[in-house]
Amino acid sequence: MKKNMIALAALSTLLCTALTGCSINVTDDTVSQAANIAASVLDSADISVNDQNVDVSVDSNGDINVNITQAPAAETQTTAPAVATEAPAVQTTESTPAGLSEAEMKNISKQLITEYMDLYDGLGAGCVEIDETQLSEVRAQWPYLMVLDPKLQSVADVEQVLSKTLIHEAYTEMHAMVLEGEMPLFLPINDNLYVRQAGRGGAYSDTWNWDDLQFSNVTTEGFTVTGTYTHMGAATMTQSFNILNTPEGYRISWVGGIIYE
């Protein structure tokens, strides 16, 4: 019991002086023994004061040495790891404008080319319903007869028929053929529409090779169609048309020249 009390006293002395970093020399035999006991106790334990390590040792003269060492500073991360701020690039593929299918282009082409043939060989040749008794000789060389077709009673009606199939250059060319010049095909006389007897044969036949149509320049705005037909059962002809997508529907915007094979 006495030995333990002496050890505690020595320990108290050590702790009180630990922060000063000094050495303690005990010369009294009794205290020296107690210090030896305290030193052995302290040496077997991990002691720290204010996060500083305390080392205790006893030399050959009985002196107890107390050393305070600075604990190594904990490594701290001063900078946050780099964070990716940019989203990865999205892989995109360029796509061409979506056009019509070949079947759709074939149907549109067949309808418009047929309408164009009717305009050229029909309206453009004066093939409309007429009243042969209503003859006007405003042009003595070319008599005009009154038109009976209820859908063609004015120049505006003719223009409307043309615009249902043609646009741009194709419309301009057909308009000039039937409504312009010194001897236009249609002429308003006394609030009625008259037509001049053109008397020419048809330029087209109905033997178009619809299954052999070729398509090019296909976009959402339109396409080009090239086809062949037989004229008067003999020569084979090739012709191209530009077809344009408009708010009112598909229209022929350009008609190529006829190529004789």
Side-chain angles (χ1 to χ4, degrees):
M1 182 69 176
K2 181 179 179 181
K3 183 183 291 187
N4 290 340
M5 290 180 63
I6 295 172
L8 289 175
L11 178 61
S12 298
T13 303
L14 290 173
L15 293 177
C16 290
T17 60
L19 293 178
T20 65
C22 62
S23 297
I24 303 174
N25 185 17
V26 181
T27 57
D28 182 80
D29 291 339
T30 304
V31 176
S32 177
Q33 292 177 3
N36 287 335
I37 296 171
S40 63
V41 173
L42 294 172
D43 190 51
S44 64
D46 294 329
I47 301 173
S48 63
V49 178
N50 294 334
D51 293 329
Q52 291 178 316
N53 295 331
V54 178
D55 293 330
V56 179
S57 62
V58 180
D59 59 21
S60 59
N61 297 321
D63 295 333
I64 299 175
N65 299 314
V66 179
N67 295 313
I68 301 174
T69 59
Q70 184 71 36
E75 289 187 4
T76 58
Q77 189 169 359
T78 57
T79 57
V83 179
T85 56
E86 255 182 57
V90 179
Q91 297 296 325
T92 58
T93 55
E94 234 178 88
S95 58
T96 55
L100 299 168
S101 68
E102 187 167 318
E104 291 172 321
M105 289 188 291
K106 178 181 177 181
N107 290 335
I108 293 170
S109 300
K110 185 175 181 179
Q111 176 184 339
L112 290 176
I113 292 174
T114 300
E115 291 176 4
Y116 180 80
M117 290 192 296
D118 290 340
L119 289 175
Y120 195 94
D121 285 346
L123 192 66
C127 297
V128 294
E129 185 181 359
I130 57 173
D131 184 350
E132 295 184 357
T133 64
Q134 298 295 323
L135 178 64
S136 173
E137 294 186 357
V138 292
R139 303 285 192 275
Q141 187 178 0
W142 296 98
Y144 283 79
L145 299 172
M146 189 170 70
V147 177
L148 293 180
D149 189 335
K151 290 179 289 191
L152 295 172
Q153 292 298 300
S154 67
V155 169
D157 290 343
V158 177
E159 292 175 334
Q160 185 176 9
V161 171
L162 297 179
S163 65
K164 288 181 179 179
T165 304
L166 310 174
I167 196 174
H168 298 337
E169 184 180 338
Y171 176 88
T172 300
E173 290 180 353
M174 187 73 75
H175 190 280
M177 186 174 78
V178 300
L179 293 173
E180 299 175 21
E182 292 184 4
M183 299 288 291
L185 188 61
F186 290 91
L187 186 68
I189 302 173
N190 299 327
D191 297 328
N192 291 295
L193 186 65
Y194 281 68
V195 62
R196 175 169 60 83
Q197 298 300 286
R200 73 164 188 263
Y204 295 95
S205 72
D206 58 355
T207 56
W208 274 77
N209 300 314
W210 301 118
D211 293 332
D212 296 331
L213 296 177
Q214 301 295 317
F215 305 102
S216 59
N217 306 320
V218 181
T219 69
T220 54
E221 296 179 354
F223 58 92
T224 298
V225 56
T226 301
T228 60
Y229 66 96
T230 302
H231 180 57
M232 308 287 290
T236 299
M237 314 293 186
T238 300
Q239 195 167 23
S240 297
F241 301 83
N242 282 352
I243 295 178
L244 185 66
N245 186 8
T246 76
E248 293 76 28
Y250 284 92
R251 301 287 188 270
I252 296 175
S253 62
W254 171 84
V255 180
I258 299 173
I259 301 173
Y260 295 83
E261 297 183 2

